Amino acid sequence: MADAHLGTIGVWLAFAASVVGAVVLAVGLLPRRTAAEPAVVPAMVPGDGERTNGRTNGRTNGHGAASGPAEGTGPAPTFRGDGRLLAPVMLLGVLLAVGAMEHALITHDFSLIFVAQNNSTVTPLLYSITGLWSALAGSILLWGFVLAVVTAIFVWRYRRIAADPVIRWATLVLYVVSAFFFGLMVGPANPFLTAPGVSQGLGPNSLLQDNPLVAIHPPLLYIGFVVFTVPFAFAIGMLATGRVGDRWQIECRRWTLVAFTFLSVGIVLGAWWSYQVLGWGGFWGWDPVENAALLPWLCGTAYLHSVLVQERRGLMRVWNLSLSVATFALTILGTFLTRSGVIISVHAFSESSLGPLLIGFFFAIVIVGFGLIAWRGDRLRSPGGIDAPLGREGAFLLNNVLFVGFAFVVLLGTLYPLLYQALTQQQVTVGAPFFNTVAVPAGLTLLFLMAVAPVLSWRKMSGAVLWQRLAVPVWVGVGTVVLCVAFGLRGFATLVGFGLGAMAAATAARALVLSVRAAHTRRAGWWRGLVGRANGGMVVHLGVVVLAVGVIAATSYRHQAELALHRGDVVTYEGHRFEFEGLRTVSSPARTAHEALVKVDNGVFAPATTSFGGDLAVVGTPAIDSGFFDDVYLTFDAVGGLGATSGNQAINNLPRGSVAIGVVIEPLVAWLWAGGLLIGLGGLLALVPGSRRRATDPASAPAPMARRAPPDEAPARDAAAEPVGALVARAVDPT
């Protein structure tokens, strides 16, 4: 019971800290001012270089939109309360709660209802620890923990500009979101409810203790989801203050990149986990829970591309703020789909009464976010338009249309069964063919844009220069298609995909080679050519290409059969030799597995059927012979004379002494996991500060009028060491 008391204290402490922090910040943001108080609050984003002072209370962003406090928002609020000091208190509370829950899981304290339902005395240590996110209440606790960590990091990072109204509004939003999730924990999703007298637990769901990826995949997804709260908070801060200058989008972009990296790796690891445990030989089935993770990824990826246009040209401001709001809203919608019990999914491990609260919070986010965008519409107008549709701006616009359009299709296909059932009281399903109909052309178009967009110039460029940059990638793509045809590969869409993938890889490799060469020429170290937003982005592109080629090959050239194997006989299928060597049973307190020993080529593999702990449910445990060029995927389907061992369709009249083994041959599946690793690596490289663009470098936008720095401003720094946003902001005098 001590764990229950400590955990409850921790949850209430975190909830109280988030509520009080939100109240203190809200009161401090009230527009009150006395005659003796200054009308301006200093504002400077670390590394951005933009300043305000007592004489000048507004700046422009270099494209004509004001970004200082004097953007028509009235008097600046007085800095009366310091709610950010409650962020460590909130973190301390949730740490206490998480520590208490983990201690209860590890020590099998079944007096906690959550532990009794998701743990047992025979559950291995790893799956006892991961039991925290095996069901609703624990997963909400994990969400609150990650959110408290993110809030504490946010407060610490911007501690030197904590008085800036945008930062204060963003911190307020983080506290409000935290209060919502901790409020769930003190109410309907309380993880510390008790029921004394229980001596044994039920144990986790069988699928949650069959693979160690359960320790990595869910936390990465949650980190990706939660970090998207920060760009949303910045968006609300910018809109609430009217300070919609481009410099704040730089901060949004950095946080979005962190969320994108974690979510990308989490999604790929989820596909790998599904591939290894479900026994179906697939890695993506357009399941509603899979779609719930994909939706914010699509919108976040669109934002990372479109924000480049805003930084360079001052365009797409409404679009970028809308993407920030939509991405966070979709994370809440995904939580609703996953944890409310409204959908039937192999990935949905809990049902609850939280549906109305989560969907209500989702609509509140949408109404507030898009309502503020409509309110500030006059300040969000871009100073110009896209000059050259065939330039980089046009490519990014098409990129965004594809990402957002595809996200809409996925959202429609995911929600349509729910809406149809609510209106007609009848059930309907939307399967993979619906999604694939859109995914194939959208994917091919995105590969084409990845091949072409990086070599385009801002504004206009000549056809001769474009061909000079694209010649090598085009020939690489053509050569790849010719080589594939020579090896007997067929299928128009498949060959086009391979060709475009090769082009995109060549374009990314070209950019990286030029960057490394330039870094070597500057004697800055070759590794400098691999870090920074642009170079890390090219590594991400390489990862996406590798993953896409793996998906195309695995889905286009997949072969599946069920083989009847008798001991001592050799069966050949798709160039592989299969020989049945016998049966065995492997037993431990935690699991019992019945295995079929099958020799595949030169190795022995053991597909099995497994039951865990006291759970009578039997799940298939496939065995996988994974290689660089293909995977051989084995499932144990039936024993002759005994019947089926799993739920798969078995061979009729299987002779006694034989086994039915399901075999799936899938080319290049390993490329999916390698591509996911490259995407994560590229995201990390993009977070490393790269070389700054010098003030003498050509810019796409017209250069602003320069002025002499007033004597009361700080001494100018070396222009080459300043971010371009800082140079633009410091060069403009709005007065």
Side-chain angles (χ1 to χ4, degrees):
M1 298 295 289
D3 292 323
H5 294 317
L6 287 176
T8 301
I9 292 172
V11 168
W12 274 101
L13 180 62
F15 176 65
S18 61
V19 172
V20 174
V23 170
V24 170
L25 282 167
V27 171
L29 284 166
L30 292 176
R32 301 174 184 172
R33 188 182 66 189
T34 64
E37 290 174 334
V40 147
V41 179
M44 182 183 70
V45 174
D48 191 51
E50 180 175 333
R51 296 177 178 83
T52 64
N53 52 48
R55 187 187 58 83
T56 301
N57 64 359
R59 295 289 183 200
T60 66
N61 57 27
H63 304 291
S67 61
E71 293 190 29
T73 59
T78 304
F79 186 63
R80 289 183 297 273
D82 199 357
R84 62 198 174 102
L85 296 178
L86 289 163
V89 178
M90 184 171 68
L91 180 59
L92 177 63
V94 74
L95 281 173
L96 183 62
V98 170
M101 179 57 72
E102 287 293 1
H103 182 266
L105 287 166
I106 293 172
T107 59
H108 310 300
D109 182 1
F110 300 124
S111 64
L112 285 178
I113 295 177
F114 182 85
V115 176
Q117 293 177 343
N118 299 281
N119 194 255
S120 71
T121 55
V122 298
T123 301
L125 176 62
L126 174 63
Y127 302 112
S128 292
I129 295 172
T130 60
L132 174 65
W133 48 86
S134 294
L136 172 71
S139 65
I140 297 295
L141 179 57
L142 175 63
W143 187 295
F145 169 68
V146 177
L147 185 55
V149 172
V150 169
T151 302
I153 293 174
F154 180 91
V155 167
W156 178 83
R157 173 173 171 76
Y158 301 108
R159 64 194 181 282
R160 295 180 182 175
I161 54 169
D164 189 292
V166 173
I167 297 298
R168 289 170 64 74
W169 272 102
T171 308
L172 172 61
V173 172
L174 290 172
Y175 277 137
V176 170
V177 176
S178 300
F180 172 77
F181 281 98
F182 287 117
L184 294 179
M185 282 182 268
V186 300
N190 186 354
F192 294 101
L193 296 176
T194 59
V198 180
S199 59
Q200 179 59 276
L202 300 176
N205 184 290
S206 295
L207 294 177
L208 297 178
Q209 51 181 326
D210 194 23
N211 194 287
L213 284 175
V214 69
I216 308 173
H217 160 63
L220 289 182
L221 280 186
Y222 274 67
I223 293 172
F225 275 13
V226 172
V227 174
F228 277 128
T229 312
V230 178
F232 169 74
F234 266 119
I236 299 299
M238 287 186 282
L239 292 166
T241 60
R243 297 173 58 197
V244 294
D246 297 345
R247 70 189 185 92
W248 294 110
Q249 291 293 350
I250 297 174
E251 297 302 309
C252 289
R253 185 251 302 162
R254 291 167 179 161
W255 286 95
T256 303
L257 182 58
V258 173
F260 165 85
T261 302
F262 279 101
L263 188 57
S264 298
V265 177
I267 290 174
V268 174
L269 288 180
W272 193 14
W273 181 14
S274 176
Y275 178 69
Q276 290 186 343
V277 303
L278 294 178
W280 61 310
F283 43 81
W284 190 267
W286 298 108
D287 182 89
V289 174
E290 295 172 344
N291 297 344
L294 180 64
L295 287 168
W297 184 90
L298 289 171
C299 287
T301 306
Y303 172 83
L304 287 175
H305 289 84
S306 63
V307 75
L308 297 177
V309 181
Q310 181 173 345
E311 291 181 18
R312 286 296 295 264
R313 298 292 314 283
L315 308 177
M316 304 179 73
R317 294 171 181 165
V318 173
W319 184 258
N320 287 326
L321 287 169
S322 299
L323 284 175
S324 296
V325 174
T327 302
F328 176 65
L330 287 172
T331 65
I332 303 301
L333 182 62
T335 306
F336 163 74
L337 294 174
T338 307
R339 297 301 184 184
S340 64
V342 299
I343 59 172
I344 300 174
S345 167
V346 70
H347 300 88
F349 297 110
S350 63
E351 297 183 1
S352 74
S353 59
L354 296 186
L357 294 173
L358 290 170
I359 201 66
F361 191 52
F362 165 77
F363 282 117
I365 291 166
V366 171
I367 292 170
V368 171
F370 289 103
L372 285 172
I373 291 174
W375 180 46
R376 293 295 188 185
D378 59 328
R379 293 183 176 273
L380 296 173
R381 286 194 296 267
S382 299
I386 293 177
D387 300 322
L390 297 181
R392 190 172 293 189
E393 302 100 311
F396 281 147
L397 177 60
L398 179 57
N399 164 286
N400 268 239
V401 170
L402 284 170
F403 271 116
V404 175
F406 186 44
F408 176 77
V409 171
V410 173
L411 180 63
L412 179 64
T414 304
L415 296 182
Y416 178 76
L418 300 179
L419 299 176
Y420 185 84
Q421 184 175 0
L423 294 175
T424 66
Q425 303 304 314
Q426 297 179 358
Q427 290 187 348
V428 66
T429 59
V430 177
F434 168 80
F435 298 102
N436 291 335
T437 300
V438 180
V440 172
L444 293 178
T445 306
L446 287 172
L447 284 176
F448 173 76
L449 289 176
M450 289 171 59
V452 176
V455 304
L456 295 175
S457 298
W458 296 99
R459 296 182 181 264
K460 298 179 180 179
M461 69 181 302
S462 67
V465 174
L466 177 60
W467 173 248
Q468 180 184 2
R469 296 177 180 178
L470 272 180
V472 172
V474 167
W475 286 116
V476 169
V478 171
T480 300
V481 173
V482 171
L483 193 62
C484 289
V485 172
F487 276 92
L489 302 182
R490 296 294 183 267
F492 177 76
T494 302
L495 294 175
V496 170
F498 287 154
L500 291 176
M503 278 185 62
T507 300
R510 171 187 176 275
L512 290 172
V513 169
L514 292 176
S515 181
V516 170
R517 185 184 301 171
H520 180 71
T521 302
R522 296 194 310 268
R523 297 183 179 179
W526 65 269
W527 63 272
R528 298 292 301 180
L530 297 177
V531 301
R533 180 179 61 185
N535 301 322
M538 289 300 100
V539 176
V540 170
H541 278 202
L542 284 175
V544 172
V545 168
V546 171
L547 187 149
V549 169
V551 170
I552 293 171
T555 55
S556 300
Y557 304 116
R558 185 177 191 264
H559 298 279
Q560 182 174 3
E562 191 168 44
L563 305 181
L565 302 180
H566 190 75
R567 188 189 294 263
D569 292 343
V570 176
V571 176
T572 302
Y573 178 69
E574 290 296 324
H576 295 276
R577 299 172 71 256
F578 301 88
E579 181 180 355
F580 173 52
E581 294 191 344
L583 300 171
R584 74 180 179 189
T585 299
V586 178
S587 232
S588 70
R591 62 189 289 269
T592 300
H594 300 285
E595 301 176 344
L597 303 181
V598 180
K599 185 176 183 181
V600 181
D601 299 329
N602 297 318
V604 177
F605 297 87
T609 58
T610 309
S611 59
F612 294 90
D615 192 351
L616 298 179
V618 176
V619 296
T621 306
I624 306 171
D625 181 10
S626 186
F628 183 80
F629 293 106
D630 66 4
D631 277 18
V632 179
Y633 190 96
L634 307 175
T635 56
F636 184 14
D637 293 350
V639 178
L642 297 179
T645 63
S646 69
N648 296 340
Q649 179 67 39
I651 298 173
N652 294 327
N653 302 317
L654 185 66
R656 183 177 296 276
S658 300
V659 293
I661 300 295
V663 177
V664 182
I665 310 295
E666 295 179 283
L668 305 187
V669 174
W671 289 38
L672 276 72
W673 327 134
L677 180 64
L678 271 177
I679 292 173
L681 176 62
L684 294 177
L685 292 175
L687 289 169
V688 178
S691 300
R692 297 291 189 182
R693 194 162 64 93
R694 297 173 299 174
T696 55
D697 288 346
S700 298
M705 296 288 293
R707 68 175 176 90
R708 184 181 301 275
D712 57 338
E713 287 192 1
R717 296 177 291 174
D718 179 12
E722 288 196 34
V724 64
L727 294 170
V728 171
R730 295 203 307 119
V732 176
D733 187 354
T735 61

